Amino acid sequence: MAAKLLTGKEVAQKLDQDIQSEVQALKGKGVNPTLRIMIAGDAPDSLYYANSAKKMAEKSGIGCEIEQLPGTMSQDEFVKTVRDRNNDRAIHGIIVMRPLPRQISEDVVKYILAPEKDVDCFNPVNAGKIMAGDLTGFPPATPQAVMEMLKFYEIPLSGKEAVVIGRSMVVGKPMSMLLLGENCTVTVCHSRTKDLPAVCRRADVLVAAIGKAKMISKDYIKAGATVMDVGINPEGDKFVGDVDTEPAKEVAGAITPVPGGVGTVTTRVLLKHVVKAAKLQNP
Ligand code: NDP
């Protein structure tokens, strides 16, 4: 039997509804949830991402300003600007776009951004909160989007074997902690893992976050497993995932498409985090 397709659209629609009703409730209390996206320089990728996030935020009634700063700004000036935004009570969530210009160190700035406004888990305090199971934190949007999809499609997690391929701070590591938080038995794989296909075939839930187009063939998948494909890799004029989806569908029980899967949900998670930040800052 062909795998069930876990598409992102329905999950995004549900999140949109939840976000919009929470925004209305906050506005009723006189709080206008607001996101600030800070960009030093003019990298086209950062501007494109910021503009699409702004459009989506505004559709949900969330205020969003893109603050484009000179790429020549010194680290001290940038740090001061971030501190000013931390102290601005009208701003509830802040995203600092990366990469930063060479003269500004990410390792310095990430500790300056106030954890309670850090809606995309830049400050390691928020990474630590995932480890601690502290629900006041903000996990990175992509692994949280995977969790939203698993929840929406009612994929059983407790006691299940989960295998995460990838150990980045943006996806793999937080992903493993979020699955552990749902009582999965979690294995984290990376480029030095021996016999990756055999390890992956143990998984009831397999998450691929590698960045290698179609690397995960059907030989990596246990019959009936749920496969969450986080990869976004250019191939010609399209994007493909880390999983070779068509053959994988013959083995998996459920699988996310690329495009139209996890990526569709990620920005909604950021907006959900802005609403959560606004609520926590206005108890
Ligand atoms: P990174 O390059 O930071 O991490 C890739 C991970 O994959 C590393 O841990 C690396 O291992 C591991 N890896 C690389 N090659 C192999 C291999 N042959 N076998 C096993 N493991 C391997 O990538 P990201 O975590 O930032 O992103 C992963 C993918 O997710 C990319 O395709 C990216 O485009 C996509 N992405 C999608 C998002 C979305 O919204 N859907 C958002 C963010 C990213 P090691 O640590 O040993 O080097």
Side-chain angles (χ1 to χ4, degrees), residues 142 166-168 171 190-191 209-212 215 230-233 266:
T142 302
R167 56 175 163 179
S168 73
V171 191
H190 44 78
S191 63
I210 312 161
K212 298 252 157 82
M215 188 186 118
V230 174
I232 302 178
N233 309 289
T266 327

Side-chain angles (χ1 to χ4, degrees), residues 194-209:
K194 297 264 188 298
D195 200 355
L196 184 65
V199 179
C200 291
R201 281 195 301 271
R202 295 207 304 252
D204 300 305
V205 177
L206 179 64
V207 182

Side-chain angles (χ1 to χ4, degrees), residues 65-251:
E65 269 182 58
I66 300 169
E67 182 169 13
Q68 204 183 344
L69 298 154
T72 51
M73 200 174 203
S74 72
Q75 177 167 293
D76 285 352
E77 285 169 319
F78 191 73
V79 162
K80 182 182 175 307
T81 312
V82 174
R83 285 211 165 99
D84 288 346
R85 303 306 163 251
N86 286 345
N87 295 330
D88 185 339
R89 286 185 52 84
I91 294 172
H92 305 101
I94 302 172
I95 296 174
V96 174
M97 293 302 302
R98 279 96 72 193
L100 290 163
R102 210 178 305 153
Q103 74 279 11
I104 304 175
S105 164
E106 264 190 33
D107 287 336
V108 170
V109 175
K110 68 188 181 188
Y111 287 103
I112 303 296
L113 181 58
E116 65 275 15
K117 297 195 176 182
D118 172 30
V119 288
D120 198 21
C121 201
F122 185 29
N123 190 322
V125 167
N126 275 314
K129 284 189 177 187
I130 310 172
M131 294 270 285
D134 179 339
L135 300 178
T136 65
F138 301 98
T142 302
Q144 183 65 43
V146 172
M147 298 310 289
E148 297 286 351
M149 293 190 79
L150 291 168
K151 188 169 139 202
F152 179 88
Y153 286 108
E154 298 178 344
I155 306 294
L157 294 176
S158 185
K160 300 293 180 187
E161 289 277 345
V163 173
V164 178
I165 322 167
R167 56 175 163 179
S168 73
M169 282 300 285
V170 191
V171 191
K173 276 186 195 160
M175 185 77 253
S176 65
M177 284 297 132
L178 293 171
L179 289 163
L180 185 62
E182 293 298 327
N183 302 313
C184 288
T185 303
V186 185
T187 305
V188 184
C189 301
H190 44 78
S191 63
R192 313 283 171 87
T193 299
K194 297 264 188 298
D195 200 355
L196 184 65
V199 179
C200 291
R201 281 195 301 271
R202 295 207 304 252
D204 300 305
V205 177
L206 179 64
V207 182
I210 312 161
K212 298 252 157 82
K214 297 183 181 170
M215 188 186 118
I216 303 304
S217 71
K218 65 180 186 180
D219 298 339
Y220 290 65
I221 300 167
K222 177 163 99 174
T226 298
V227 180
M228 308 301 286
D229 189 355
V230 174
I232 302 178
N233 309 289
E235 191 182 73
D237 57 358
K238 301 184 304 188
F239 287 96
V240 297
D242 289 342
V243 179
D244 197 1
T245 315
E246 284 312 313
K249 275 185 192 167
E250 295 163 21
V251 186

Side-chain angles (χ1 to χ4, degrees), residues 2-15:
K4 176 178 176 174
L5 212 53
L6 307 180
T7 46
K9 195 171 150 202
E10 293 79 354
V11 189
Q13 279 169 349
K14 167 78 173 70
L15 289 176

